[in-house]
Amino acid sequence: MSEPIITFNKVNKWYGNNYHVLRDIDLTVTKGERIVVCGPSGSGKSTLIRCINRLEEHQQGNLTVDGVELTDDVKAIDDVRKKVGMVFQQFNLFPHLTVLENLTLSPMWVGKMPKKDAEEKAMEQLKRVRIAEQANKYPLQLSGGQQQRVAIARALCLKPKIMLFDEPTSALDPEMIKEVLDVMVEMASHGITMICVTHEMGFAKAVADRVIFMDQGQIVEQNTPTEFFNNPQSDRSKDFLSKIL
Ligand code: ADP
Ligand code: MG
């Protein structure tokens, strides 16, 4: 039995006083596990993964990430954020910094790494996502697929134990989706824990250990990708799959 690295225990969250966005979430992710989260728009997928690095806070239940329980304790939040990398739909690169500067900023200023070391490590990651030759360009000079690979390399520079992806290919033109998914597949082969919100079935089938289906703030169903896609159990997942397939 693998060790748990993320544990949601009856987690509930509301937006404002009465919008109940996460309902009794129970979820244990083990070290090295690769999870795909899918479900209709508005079902709470982004909120769920954003709670893991405290971009959103939950109000009830317990959420523990690599042995640290997330509460209002600022030190615990900092500890967790050091272990968790995140990639967003809209890349979120700093437009006024070069690709290389986007990657070295946090290791230098937060991690206190000397510039030379930070640049060396950054170049390693840029090579890994096959974009080293663009290091001195600005993000807006790159295609969407290239920008997203830079965002992935930036997250990897901080050596996270866990990577969160929130629809990383949804803003990309179809011909660029594969270059980003290829990088994610490569990353998955290195044993990092991954939670990825995506509707890319091919990716889910290739790398996911488990698919989690959410609807209306709940985890409605979870299964291996093959079982989930071929043999969905609930009416809600059947309805969802009939729309995306
Ligand atoms: P998904 O990622 O599955 O589309 P989200 O987690 O983004 O779903 O959102 C779930 C629900 O919560 C949606 O109805 C959304 O409008 C609402 N919501 C998301 N963020 C906020 C917010 N900051 N304040 C209020 N409501 C929000
Ligand atoms: Mg979302």
Side-chain angles (χ1 to χ4, degrees):
M1 196 36 208
S2 301
E3 246 179 283
I5 187 164
I6 301 169
T7 313
F8 287 78
N9 181 7
K10 292 264 169 297
V11 167
N12 283 275
K13 172 173 177 60
W14 289 260
Y15 283 122
N17 290 328
N18 49 30
Y19 189 76
H20 197 173
V21 61
L22 295 179
R23 298 164 180 257
D24 285 339
I25 299 290
D26 281 317
L27 174 66
T28 301
V29 180
T30 58
K31 275 190 184 153
E33 198 177 7
R34 294 156 304 197
I35 292 188
V36 159
V37 181
C38 65
S41 175
S43 57
K45 305 178 299 294
S46 295
T47 304
L48 177 87
I49 66 166
R50 289 165 66 88
C51 283
I52 296 170
N53 61 357
R54 199 72 171 187
L55 290 180
E56 297 292 350
E57 64 184 76
H58 60 284
Q59 284 93 27
Q60 270 182 18
N62 308 93
L63 173 51
T64 304
V65 179
D66 201 30
V68 180
E69 183 172 354
L70 281 168
T71 59
D72 289 333
D73 180 33
V74 177
K75 183 166 176 316
I77 295 170
D78 267 3
D79 275 356
V80 165
R81 288 192 180 151
K82 284 185 194 137
K83 304 167 195 259
V84 182
M86 184 150 185
V87 172
F88 303 87
Q89 185 174 339
Q90 296 297 343
F91 328 135
N92 293 4
L93 298 172
F94 298 110
H96 59 293
L97 298 180
T98 64
V99 164
L100 188 64
E101 288 164 349
N102 263 278
L103 268 68
T104 56
L105 184 71
S106 184
M108 281 171 60
W109 299 105
V110 183
K112 308 280 180 232
M113 193 184 278
K115 184 173 181 191
K116 191 169 158 294
D117 295 354
E119 288 185 344
E120 209 168 284
K121 296 256 177 316
M123 288 309 296
E124 276 170 33
Q125 295 304 334
L126 288 174
K127 278 188 197 130
R128 189 169 166 194
V129 302
R130 287 176 237 118
I131 204 158
E133 71 287 356
Q134 312 287 357
N136 295 314
K137 289 203 180 152
Y138 287 88
L140 295 176
Q141 296 175 295
L142 306 183
S143 73
Q146 290 174 323
Q147 289 184 61
Q148 192 59 299
R149 286 186 282 142
V150 171
I152 292 171
R154 181 175 65 176
L156 291 174
C157 276
L158 299 171
K159 297 268 177 270
K161 286 191 171 180
I162 300 166
M163 279 288 289
L164 308 175
F165 294 87
D166 195 355
E167 303 205 34
T169 60
S170 300
L172 300 178
D173 292 333
E175 71 271 20
M176 290 168 192
I177 292 176
K178 186 170 180 301
E179 68 190 46
V180 171
L181 293 178
D182 283 349
V183 163
M184 292 168 61
V185 170
E186 192 271 336
M187 187 188 309
S189 71
H190 288 267
I192 193 167
T193 306
M194 283 171 89
I195 304 183
C196 185
V197 177
T198 184
H199 297 156
E200 291 290 337
M201 253 192 1
F203 173 78
K205 285 182 178 161
V207 311
D209 299 301
R210 185 157 47 134
V211 174
I212 286 176
F213 172 72
M214 288 186 73
D215 191 28
Q216 298 181 9
Q218 288 176 308
I219 296 178
V220 175
E221 197 168 324
Q222 41 184 314
N223 218 327
T224 61
T226 316
E227 275 300 305
F228 178 73
F229 292 116
N230 296 344
N231 191 15
Q233 298 294 306
S234 63
D235 289 342
R236 289 192 268 180
S237 59
K238 284 177 196 166
D239 179 56
F240 170 74
L241 287 170
S242 73
K243 286 172 185 150
I244 67 158
L245 294 180

